[in-house]
Amino acid sequence: HDAYHSARCLGVLFKGCGNSHRIRARRDMDAKRVVAAALEVGCRSHAKLEDASRVAMTALVTDDDESDEGEGSEEPKVTTSL
């Protein structure tokens, strides 16, 4: 039950945070492996955990290809206004 609530929280956080935070979560906190483990357990024994983990994983990997472009496109706007 706690794992389910944790997965839901991660999903909300990953959806709400910026690309740089998702990149850091993937790189420094090994978040993909952690969420994948929760997804595997959910698939075997807990449907709500499976769903919440799938949402968290989707949010975590969203904008993988665009993350560099998204952050880069924000930078020039700031620097050109200086």
Side-chain angles (χ1 to χ4, degrees), residues 3-46:
Y4 161 67
H5 287 292
S6 297
R8 286 194 63 199
C9 290
L10 286 174
V12 170
L13 290 171
F14 291 146
K15 282 181 184 177
C17 71
N19 289 331
S20 62
H21 293 290
R22 281 192 294 274
I23 291 168
R24 190 176 336 158
R26 288 190 300 259
R27 184 188 63 223
D28 298 343
M29 299 186 314
D30 203 12
K32 278 179 135 176
R33 184 188 59 79
V34 172
V35 175
L39 181 58
E40 182 180 329
V41 170
C43 288
R44 285 186 278 134
S45 61
H46 196 287

